Amino acid sequence: MVAYTLSDDEVDRIFKALADRTRRDIVRRTLIAEASISELAKEYEMSFAAVQKHVAVLEAADLVARTPRGRERIILGNPDAIRRAQQLLGQYETIWRGRIDRLDALLSEDK
Amino acid sequence: MVAYTLSDDEVDRIFKALADRTRRDIVRRTLIAEASISELAKEYEMSFAAVQKHVAVLEAADLVARTPRGRERIILGNPDAIRRAQQLLGQYETIWRGRIDRLDALLSEDK
DNA sequence: AGTATATGCAACCATTTGGTTTCATGTTAA
DNA sequence: TTAACATGAAACCAAATGGTTGCATATACT
């Protein structure tokens, strides 16, 4: 179990990238199967350029990878970045459990 | 294991709220122990009003709860919302595993 | 060679975000 | 009953966000 340490900037980028439904859907789709940007663009009611920008945001957060294939750019979802975000949220659970433990101790002292 | 269904709007709010380091720190602090808004404000190099706004964003995402106590408002982190976000990211893992399974099937057919 | 397709990129625009200051109101304490 | 403290809320501002259109370039097809 490797402890990934993400910088504040990286965490900002990951959550900011996930805070948009179109981008979450692109992640979902490209975790299922690779797709070119124009294939993705067909799925949404917005311009190609808009989808292109969303992909750029996801790539900056390392949530997807972009690989050239001929004239296309193949987008593939990256499960590792998502796992790291999940682990991060898991740390909050640990922090919270600390509070509960301290409350329990408080309640049981001089019983 | 209850399957929480969050609307796109709710998910947007949760991830947007988590996409700021000050807000993540407020969540962390208030998961450890409750704090008033002015107690929180002392911790950051920004105005009281700015911290107040951050708390409002977190409350809208249900990541913290705000309870009046005298003239103060006591802020307490809500581990449930974070757990739901974590579960949501877990679904992407499941989706991704589907891709891997299909790739395995592809590789093993007409072997 | 010429045309169609896929992408990149810049300029532009409206809205949102993250901060500020100021003022009003409610609560506590002397 | 004042004074101090905690909060709420409005107006304002600069920068970021999420979209657009237009144009340039690279690749593929006939």
Side-chain angles (χ1 to χ4, degrees), chain A residues 3-22:
Chain A
Y4 297 100
T5 27
L6 295 165
S7 71
D8 281 345
D9 281 342
E10 288 171 314
V11 179
D12 281 1
R13 274 194 293 272
I14 290 174
F15 284 129
K16 221 163 265 180
L18 289 173
D20 179 282
R21 64 200 66 184
T22 302

Side-chain angles (χ1 to χ4, degrees), chain A residues 31-101:
Chain A
L31 279 174
I32 293 172
E34 59 175 36
S36 71
I37 302 182
S38 30
E39 281 168 347
L40 289 172
K42 281 175 208 143
E43 304 292 335
Y44 309 102
E45 292 197 335
M46 65 184 72
S47 68
F48 173 85
V51 174
Q52 209 177 11
K53 279 194 188 182
H54 282 308
V55 169
V57 170
L58 289 170
E59 198 196 6
D62 201 33
L63 284 163
V64 305
R66 188 153 103 276
T67 314
R69 179 181 303 165
R71 64 181 155 181
E72 295 178 322
R73 297 297 179 272
I74 300 302
I75 310 302
L76 196 53
N78 173 17
D80 282 346
I82 295 162
R83 259 181 235 126
R84 285 198 294 271
Q86 217 190 337
Q87 287 189 342
L88 218 145
L89 294 181
Q91 293 176 10
Y92 287 91
E93 177 74 21
T94 305
I95 289 167
W96 171 76
R97 217 164 307 169
R99 176 178 88 196
I100 296 306
D101 289 349

Side-chain angles (χ1 to χ4, degrees), chain B residues 23-51:
Chain B
R23 287 198 291 262
R24 286 194 300 274
D25 196 66
I26 291 174
V27 169
R28 188 186 60 76
R29 286 195 133 90
T30 59
L31 280 174
I32 293 171
E34 57 176 38
S36 71
I37 303 181
S38 30
E39 281 169 348
L40 289 171
K42 283 175 205 139
E43 304 293 336
Y44 309 102
E45 292 198 334
M46 65 184 72
S47 69
F48 172 84
V51 174

Side-chain angles (χ1 to χ4, degrees), chain B residues 16 20 23 46-47 49-50 53-54 70-71:
Chain B
K16 220 165 265 180
D20 178 282
R23 287 198 291 262
M46 65 184 72
S47 69
K53 280 195 189 180
H54 281 309
R71 65 181 154 183

